[in-house]
Amino acid sequence: MLIIPPSAHASDHKNAKHIERILAGHAKISSVRENSTIWVREVFSSSRKTRKNHLKIWCMGDNFKVHEIKEIENFIDSDVADARIMSDPSLIRVVTDQYEFSLQKRPHIVNGVPQLGPLKMATNSIGQDGLTHWRERMLLMLSQRAWVATTIGMKESRSFFLTPEAELLSGFNKTLLFEMGPITFRELPSGILRMEYSSYAERADPRGVKISTNQIECWTEFDTKKNYRVVTTGGIGHTQKYPINKPTQSLWGRLSSTYEYDETFGRGVIPRRVFHKVWSNGASPEDIIDESSRSYVTEEYLIDKVEFGTVTPADFRGEPYGVPASLIEQDPLPPTAAWWWPWLCGLLGVNALLGLVWWGKRQWGVQA
């Protein structure tokens, strides 16, 4: 694999200072949200339909859990949503550094009407490749929602600056060439730092088909007064696919994202609202400039509630979901109180009786 670093220019030293400050600020943001529970409403809209989901996400270091309800007809208040999302989710996924499992309701037809079936085991991983894949999937999901404050180009900022050639999901395509264009910074009077960049990559999919991706006119804006949290980002992309013995496929796309923070909410590191505007499948650059609603789709994430410091290792156990500890190679929980409480009481009683006998013998010996 050939990796070409950013082109050198006169302001390299100043750029390095900006990057150092961004990474330091984002490290502080990451430490605040390291243990958190997040409630998210999702709205996906196009000119034809709107789809709504509801998520509850648990984060503790490299451990993640999600309960998801798909296709909610109407928005419901947080209390009702939480009760339902805990008792009747349509998807559950748990990912730790040692195991992954998920349960999902599969759609089926009942009397000609599509319905969701019961929760059933869908995936289970204990090998390193599987764990890496699902951890990357969880990070990607968070990078588009509650963790946008530290995301650049759908990657955590540390990964963007230190390993820009890395794919969002490893293990699929093989990178043949990666070139990072110049990164430039511009300080705006409002206290916003604007970063502009570009990149070019060539990769081969598992079938050997070459894919080139040209990221053009990309930008990210940081709030320098709030640990350099990201406030807006976007860019234009051109992807070409070269299938064997077939015409080259060419697609243009554009993304524009804005994030709304409230200093009284989420400790200022998790926004109340994340809004993505996406143009995709354009045959030419002109197709992604059109601002009419039929030419793009929107993704809106409304964060209803955030709690910090309440997640514990017990939240990632498999037993509450009917997943035995042996399946995920985890030590089983100790016996339940109903089994060991009488035994413990009896043991304490015997010890107390032995103690009295010992004390009595000692007293007798003293008196003699």
Side-chain angles (χ1 to χ4, degrees):
M1 175 177 63
L2 178 62
I3 300 175
I4 302 174
S7 303
H9 48 83
S11 59
D12 276 349
H13 178 70
K14 192 172 183 180
N15 279 1
K17 285 294 183 184
H18 285 311
I19 294 172
E20 182 180 337
R21 292 180 186 129
I22 290 168
L23 293 179
H26 288 188
K28 293 178 182 178
I29 291 174
S30 297
S31 67
V32 171
R33 69 188 186 202
E34 184 177 31
N35 185 306
S36 57
T37 311
I38 308 160
W39 287 257
V40 184
R41 284 180 291 162
E42 303 178 331
V43 186
F44 304 98
S45 300
S46 69
S47 59
R48 292 178 296 173
K49 66 176 182 176
T50 297
R51 180 166 55 90
K52 303 173 185 178
N53 301 328
H54 205 129
L55 279 72
K56 184 175 181 180
I57 308 168
W58 291 255
C59 308
M60 189 182 74
D62 283 335
N63 300 330
F64 306 98
K65 181 170 76 171
V66 174
H67 280 208
E68 180 177 0
I69 296 175
K70 294 180 178 291
E71 301 290 352
I72 295 179
E73 294 298 329
N74 299 295
F75 285 156
I76 46 183
D77 66 73
S78 296
D79 291 337
V80 175
D82 189 57
R84 182 182 169 193
I85 207 167
M86 292 302 295
S87 63
D88 189 31
S90 51
L91 171 68
I92 296 167
R93 187 175 305 283
V94 175
V95 179
T96 76
D97 58 355
Q98 295 179 321
Y99 55 85
E100 172 274 335
F101 65 85
S102 69
L103 299 98
Q104 189 170 354
K105 291 182 177 180
R106 301 290 187 184
H108 63 288
I109 305 298
V110 178
N111 297 326
V113 180
Q115 294 184 6
L116 290 176
L119 278 172
K120 290 186 177 181
M121 179 75 78
T123 60
N124 173 220
S125 308
I126 55 176
Q128 192 55 53
D129 288 346
L131 296 180
T132 298
H133 170 79
W134 287 112
R135 180 178 181 275
E136 290 174 344
R137 288 275 293 267
M138 296 299 287
L139 291 175
L140 181 59
M141 180 270 294
L142 284 162
S143 75
Q144 296 172 287
R145 295 164 176 79
W147 284 11
V148 293
T150 58
T151 297
I152 306 172
M154 297 177 69
K155 293 182 178 181
E156 277 290 294
S157 56
R158 186 173 181 82
S159 174
F160 175 85
F161 287 119
L162 301 183
T163 56
E165 74 281 0
E167 290 198 80
L168 296 173
L169 295 174
S170 61
F172 291 99
N173 298 333
K174 179 182 179 181
T175 301
L176 306 174
L177 168 70
F178 182 85
E179 180 178 3
M180 191 75 189
I183 297 176
T184 61
F185 290 95
R186 188 153 46 97
E187 299 177 36
L188 305 182
S190 59
I192 295 298
L193 178 68
R194 182 179 175 90
M195 181 183 79
E196 297 175 351
Y197 64 95
S198 61
S199 68
Y200 175 80
E202 293 180 1
R203 296 183 170 93
D205 71 12
R207 296 170 298 174
V209 175
K210 186 175 131 181
I211 303 168
S212 68
T213 305
N214 196 6
Q215 300 292 337
I216 311 164
E217 299 178 16
C218 299
W219 79 90
T220 299
E221 294 186 342
F222 307 90
D223 187 342
T224 60
K225 300 174 183 176
K226 300 293 180 180
N227 286 318
Y228 288 83
R229 68 189 181 192
V230 176
V231 293
T232 183
T233 187
I236 295 172
H238 180 213
T239 299
Q240 290 182 290
K241 192 172 183 179
Y242 305 88
I244 300 171
N245 299 324
K246 292 182 180 180
T248 300
Q249 300 170 9
S250 176
L251 293 175
W252 288 83
R254 179 159 70 104
L255 170 69
S256 177
S257 303
T258 56
Y259 315 136
E260 298 174 9
Y261 297 89
D262 180 341
E263 302 313 315
T264 66
F265 177 84
R267 297 184 182 175
V269 304
I270 294 178
R272 276 193 179 275
R273 180 177 181 259
V274 174
F275 187 74
H276 302 296
K277 206 171 179 179
V278 184
W279 291 256
S280 60
N281 300 328
S284 68
E286 289 72 26
D287 293 333
I288 58 171
I289 296 174
D290 186 1
E291 288 289 340
S292 62
S293 60
R294 61 180 174 78
S295 64
Y296 61 82
V297 298
T298 63
E299 300 175 6
E300 184 177 23
Y301 304 103
L302 303 169
I303 290 85
D304 286 326
K305 182 180 176 184
V306 182
E307 290 180 355
F308 295 99
T310 59
V311 184
T312 70
D315 290 312
F316 306 97
R317 298 291 307 193
E319 290 94 336
Y321 303 107
V323 178
S326 58
L327 186 64
I328 53 179
E329 296 188 351
Q330 184 182 35
D331 291 333
L333 289 170
T336 60
W339 179 85
W340 56 261
W341 180 248
W343 174 83
L344 179 60
C345 290
L347 180 62
L348 291 174
V350 170
N351 285 340
L353 181 60
L354 291 174
L356 286 172
V357 170
W358 174 82
W359 179 81
K361 286 184 177 181
R362 186 177 181 190
Q363 289 296 104
W364 180 264
V366 170
Q367 292 175 0

